[in-house]
Amino acid sequence: MTNKVLLIYTGGTIGMGKSPVTGALEPLDFNQMRQSITEFRYIKTDIDVYQFNPPIDSSDMSPELWKRLVKIIAERYEQYDGFVILHGTDTMAYTASALSFMLQNLTKPVILTGSQLPIGQLRTDGKENLITSIELASARNEDGRPMVPEVCIYFSGRLLRGNRSTKKNADGFRAFDSYNFPHLCDAGVSFVYHDHHILVPDYDKPLIVHPDMDPNVIVFSLFPGIQEKLICNLLTVPALRGIVMRSFGSGNAPQQPWLQKILHEATEKGVTIVNVTQCAAGRVEMGRYDTGHHLKEAGVVSGYDSTVEAAVTKLMHLQALYDDPEIIRHKLNKSLAGEITL
């Protein structure tokens, strides 16, 4: 039986082509483009295409568009063996992280990919990323179950857990990495799956969709010379419910009494503050030094080894589900979709 994959084109560089009139890049019709890619005739998987009209620049990605993506997948979940989402690279890690929380009990691959060069250009990385993503989305083990039943990003030979991924390079072909978690699969001459790192879902449970996100979240970074009056104004915005705070090293902050006071007052008002490191790799351990311990005393929650993208979308997800900040803080200390190592 031939596997069937739904290809969802949201926008991004991969689907751009040069206008014969202006020479500028413009979105292509993906159904027409598929006919022009000769490699498609060798793919054994059946492919249907769903195209956003108009395509979305990934800089304009939003919770409402995540909700639309989740609806597309949920409504067609039983019709397809896997899903490939073509997406601009700038916010791909945010979308992958969000979908991992919005699609609970996922038992099928949802693979995001894109490219640094348009698929029609001579040196494009788009063809390999697209074709390999389709193969990965349709791959099955000996039991007939998906090889990678989770939300992933595939780029330049590496399949990464979506909510562990971050964009690391603005113009190199190896644009993404997952610094705190191993690759799920390395695609060379053969696929080398790292099975012990891949999530194993309960296939007896149905997919549960959480379409809503509460975006009343901000991200701010600590830095030497940070000013009290500016942070005070930022943390007292009435609508604010969650903060992702990028701290130094293993979760440290300046030992300024005013900073601890402001953070404590914010948590007392019900604002959830998640502490993630500014470092590319490593984890927050607020008990290691006094500078981190003070944050813990102020009610700040550890983000462990979470990426900023995962911390932001996890907060949005939990805030949409729960009004009680204590429940949100408790859930932040749990791994919901493999996004942190406890």
Side-chain angles (χ1 to χ4, degrees), residues 130-171:
L130 171 58
I131 291 168
T132 303
S133 294
I134 292 169
E135 288 195 67
L136 289 165
S138 62
R140 293 291 180 270
N141 61 24
E142 294 176 354
D143 298 327
R145 286 178 169 169
M147 292 298 298
V148 191
E150 55 175 291
V151 179
C152 307
I153 287 177
Y154 177 78
F155 231 87
S156 190
R158 301 187 285 194
L159 184 69
L160 313 173
R161 176 166 297 163
N163 58 32
R164 294 287 195 148
S165 305
T166 195
K167 187 176 180 181
K168 69 168 187 175
N169 196 317
D171 50 20

Side-chain angles (χ1 to χ4, degrees), residues 12 52 69 75 78 82 84-85 184 188 221 224 238 241 267 282 291 305 320:
F52 275 32
L69 271 173
E75 289 178 346
E78 299 304 325
V84 173
I85 299 173
L184 303 183
S221 294
R241 292 190 66 197
T267 59
T291 49
D305 56 353

Side-chain angles (χ1 to χ4, degrees), residues 148-330:
V148 191
E150 55 175 291
V151 179
C152 307
I153 287 177
Y154 177 78
F155 231 87
S156 190
R158 301 187 285 194
L159 184 69
L160 313 173
R161 176 166 297 163
N163 58 32
R164 294 287 195 148
S165 305
T166 195
K167 187 176 180 181
K168 69 168 187 175
N169 196 317
D171 50 20
F173 285 153
R174 287 203 162 183
F176 290 87
D177 209 343
S178 54
Y179 293 104
N180 288 325
F181 199 76
H183 305 164
L184 303 183
C185 177
D186 290 302
V189 175
S190 302
F191 289 149
V192 180
Y193 293 96
H194 308 296
D195 296 332
H196 51 297
H197 297 308
I198 298 171
L199 291 175
V200 180
D202 186 341
Y203 288 94
D204 294 327
K205 290 184 178 179
L207 176 71
I208 298 174
V209 174
H210 301 287
D212 296 321
M213 301 287 266
D214 181 344
N216 289 303
V217 175
I218 60 169
V219 179
F220 81 89
S221 294
L222 298 175
F223 58 90
I226 192 167
Q227 294 296 298
E228 177 180 359
K229 57 188 176 183
L230 300 180
I231 297 302
C232 185
N233 290 335
L234 184 68
L235 301 192
T236 54
V237 175
L240 182 64
R241 292 190 66 197
I243 299 168
V244 175
M245 183 177 69
R246 301 180 68 243
S247 61
F248 306 131
S250 58
N252 304 312
Q255 294 191 66
Q256 299 288 343
W258 65 261
L259 180 60
Q260 187 174 1
K261 178 175 177 287
I262 288 173
L263 295 175
H264 180 72
E265 288 174 351
T267 59
E268 286 290 301
K269 291 177 182 176
V271 177
T272 301
I273 306 174
V274 185
N275 185 5
V276 300
T277 178
Q278 295 179 23
C279 300
R283 60 188 287 116
V284 163
E285 296 182 39
M286 289 189 290
R288 182 181 294 182
Y289 302 103
D290 267 355
T291 49
H293 187 69
H294 291 157
L295 296 178
K296 192 174 182 180
E297 288 181 337
V300 176
V301 180
S302 175
Y304 300 93
D305 56 353
S306 175
T307 63
V308 170
E309 296 92 335
V312 167
T313 54
K314 187 176 182 179
L315 259 181
M316 289 182 179
H317 165 68
L318 292 173
Q319 288 176 178
L321 290 178
Y322 306 105
D323 294 324
D324 187 342
E326 287 304 318
I327 296 176
I328 294 171
R329 290 165 191 160
H330 174 73

